[in-house]
Amino acid sequence: MRKVADQYVVVAIGPASRILNGMIKLNETGAFCWDYLLKGISENELGGGGLF
């Protein structure tokens, strides 16, 4: 994930780029979630773990 101007973007690389050819724009909440997922927090913990 990178912040470009005022937008957060994610670009698939490697084998994932064969499935997703493009980029994903994230809002602030999406960027927050992405950071936690990169730190190893599971989707279940993120959604039901009281982070929000």
Side-chain angles (χ1 to χ4, degrees), residues 2-49:
R2 298 279 188 257
K3 187 168 186 180
V4 179
D6 62 343
Q7 297 246 326
Y8 294 97
V9 294
V10 177
V11 178
I13 58 171
S17 66
R18 294 181 192 158
I19 298 167
L20 178 65
N21 186 13
M23 66 179 146
I24 302 168
K25 292 191 268 183
L26 301 173
N27 60 17
E28 295 275 335
T29 302
F32 174 85
C33 293
W34 190 270
D35 280 339
Y36 270 92
L37 292 170
L38 287 177
K39 292 176 184 175
I41 302 292
S42 72
E43 291 177 37
N44 188 37
E45 291 172 315
L46 186 63

